[in-house]
Amino acid sequence: MMNSNKLEKVDSRDAKLSMAYFYVAFIALALGGLAGLLQTLVRSGKVVLPWGIDYYQVLTVHGVLLGLVLTTFFIMGFQFALISRTTGTFTNGARITGWVGFWLMTIGTAMAATMVLLKEASVLYTFYAPLMAHPIFYIGLTLVIVGSWVAGGSMIATYAKWKRNNPGKASSLLTFMAIINTFMWIIATLGVAATVLIQILPWSLGLVDTIDILVSRTLFWYFGHPMVYFWLLPAYMCWYAIVPKIIGGKIFSDSLARLSFILFLLFSIPVGFHHQLVEPGIDPAWKYIQVVLTFMVIIPSLMTAFSLFATFESFGRSKGAKGLFGWFRKLPWGDARFVVPFIGMLSFIPAGAGGIINASHQMNAVIHNTIWVTGHFHLTAATAVVLTFFGISYWLIPHLTGRVLTKAMNKLAIIQGIVWTIGMSFMSGAMHAAGLLGAPRRSSFSEYGGAAQAQEWIPYQIAQAVGGSILFIGIILVLIIFINLAFFAPKGETEFPVGEVADGAEKPPLVFENWKLWLGISAALILFAYTIPFIDIIQNAPPGSKGYKFW
Amino acid sequence: MAKTEFNTKKKIKVEHHESDLRGTLASVFLLGFFIIVTWVSVWMLFLDRF
């Protein structure tokens, strides 16, 4: 925290770098959002896409642009700004590295997007083998990952330099959190890089004929689950360390926040099997062990919930709130920077509860591959995370561009949050309900030969289209606000809020920044959870599969 | 020396006493209750179907 009070503003050169990432993120939001609208309309059974546009192509555009591009670019831009603000301006070398990362990621995105638009890569955002896309799609995704490593390396180097120059001091909380998230991302992406470079790329280039599907899916989900935490942790950074400042309160506990982030680093990665619970070929005992490790993630999630309630209550009581829940009314309900992320926090309650159901082995059988899962991650990623990202944009974009959020834009931002809540309640609610009735995910509209069960799903699919249309209005509102804040809002100074710890709070123990310890435990847990089952998967592998293109 | 230590301890004790987090306690209980109810609901669905 010691540096945060001195450095009030992000250096303009660092601001340009962050803004470059945000421009790509918001373009992805516009295109990916449009694709999402089209999907819900097709699935209602009332709309057929013109010009031979395929549902699965649109689904791939939606998943890749929103799940992979929007999130990764936004997070990189956000973390560059956070570190610049709370640790210090980047050196020229680190900033240039950040730009190299940006261009690698952008070129990779353009390559992958071109192949999807040319209908050469309708493999959905999970790109499961044996669906086989054009090699350029995989090379593009590889560049996105490599670019994110380069950008992440720039952040870690900046942090390491600060540590060398400030021995024995704790880093700022926000920088610490950004570094944990970057380490987690790098460790996780090793898995997806391995499957793409060793298995998928040679196979799509025709160098080998077949692919081991279970190995590729295991490596994908070794990456896939920490990826969702890579999305979530920047939202938690805002909730723990920025929202307290916005409301005028204090961070409840710096040490508790750091501990919860360390627990996320340890328990987000060795848990990929909970996405593969119905998959044959993995020993159930190892599925059970990874489910136990998955449930460990509930601990830092509940610590977060406690900490946020405590921050809000402490603030409300300091303003004279009475009664059990009187503090709730004292929160700044007219400030979009608070209200929009707050809706995100609330949505994480049903989202987290749904996640515990998904990870429970037997109950996974009830919802596996149904649209319940889609409903689940539209509450986590597409509400809790994305609304928090929008809330961050409402102060960060004007801070970086030297503008201000006007009262009219603040009001529009709150309306946007409400529109999103209504749209998502319809869409995600209907997805959860239809999923419990067995409606499949990743499927275009079908009456399944007039099956009675499929008829039950149709009203819910219409509700999804209603929700999807309302959400698209929400996306238009966000884009209006983003363009306003980037180019047209009045010039002025906007605060970059950085939370302060409560008076007289203990300093965080330095053991939290003993990276050899935490990265060592993380590696040990990963090796424990994966080594034996992975050897087993390879030794008992069935014959490989050739590639398929169903589009 | 011993007197100083005594004073520090006393101060911490008073601060903890003053922080009123009854609402937080109630909120986390409600949250836990919600998680249990949703989990048990789908569990019942599982028992019913399989």
Side-chain angles (χ1 to χ4, degrees), chain A residues 252 302 305-306 309-310 313-314 317 323-325 327 349-350 353 356-357 360 362-363 365-366 436, chain B residues 12 15 20-28 30-31 34-35 38-40 42-43 45-46 49-50:
Chain A
F252 180 71
L302 292 181
F306 164 77
F309 284 131
E313 183 168 11
S314 302
R317 297 220 181 271
L324 196 55
F325 293 111
W327 45 275
I349 296 173
I356 299 170
I357 290 163
S360 304
Q362 291 88 340
M363 283 136 77
V366 179
L436 289 178
Chain B
I12 291 170
E15 275 176 8
D20 179 359
L21 294 175
R22 285 171 297 144
T24 301
L25 182 69
S27 303
V28 292
L30 284 173
L31 173 62
F34 176 77
I35 290 172
T38 47
W39 195 91
V40 169
V42 180
W43 170 249
L45 206 55
F46 166 73
R49 286 183 183 175
F50 291 90

Side-chain angles (χ1 to χ4, degrees), chain A residues 180-263:
Chain A
I180 288 248
N181 202 32
T182 306
F183 275 133
M184 191 179 71
W185 175 249
I186 292 172
I187 297 169
T189 44
L190 291 173
V192 72
T195 182
V196 169
L197 295 178
I198 300 169
Q199 291 189 284
I200 296 177
L201 204 50
W203 168 70
S204 73
L205 286 165
L207 301 175
V208 292
D209 294 329
T210 61
I211 188 165
D212 185 324
I213 291 166
L214 187 53
V215 169
S216 76
R217 289 167 65 111
T218 302
L219 286 170
F220 180 86
W221 283 116
Y222 162 86
F223 151 77
H225 194 74
M227 173 176 71
V228 304
Y229 277 92
F230 172 71
W231 301 338
L232 188 62
L233 291 192
Y236 278 22
M237 294 175 205
C238 174
W239 299 354
Y240 266 116
I242 290 171
V243 163
K245 178 75 174 178
I246 289 172
I247 65 172
K250 301 278 186 187
I251 295 172
F252 180 71
S253 165
D254 180 299
S255 298
L256 182 143
R258 287 180 201 247
L259 179 62
S260 86
F261 267 60
I262 287 171
L263 293 175

Side-chain angles (χ1 to χ4, degrees), chain A residues 2 26 59 62 112 186 188 222 225 306 330 345 491 518 529 541:
Chain A
M2 52 285 300
F26 280 87
L59 181 52
H62 179 70
I186 292 172
Y222 162 86
H225 194 74
F306 164 77
K330 299 282 180 188
M345 293 176 201
K491 292 274 183 188
W518 304 118

Side-chain angles (χ1 to χ4, degrees), chain A residues 21 24 28 60 64-65 68-70 72-73 99-117 121 127 133-150 196 201:
Chain A
Y21 282 97
V24 178
T60 307
V64 169
L65 284 183
L68 303 178
V69 177
L70 164 68
T72 312
F73 275 82
W99 278 107
V100 171
F102 168 78
W103 282 112
L104 284 171
M105 285 172 67
T106 305
I107 292 166
T109 300
M111 287 166 72
T114 306
M115 287 302 116
V116 175
L117 294 176
F127 51 90
H134 193 284
I136 291 177
F137 174 79
Y138 300 116
I139 295 169
L141 289 185
T142 306
L143 284 181
V144 174
I145 300 286
V146 172
S148 73
W149 288 346
V150 173
V196 169
L201 204 50

Side-chain angles (χ1 to χ4, degrees), chain A residues 2 159-172 258 507-511 513:
Chain A
M2 52 285 300
Y159 164 77
K161 189 177 167 214
W162 186 92
K163 281 303 280 180
R164 275 197 305 277
N165 293 337
N166 295 273
K169 286 188 185 172
S171 62
S172 98
R258 287 180 201 247
K507 282 186 178 160
L510 281 173
V511 69
E513 291 184 73

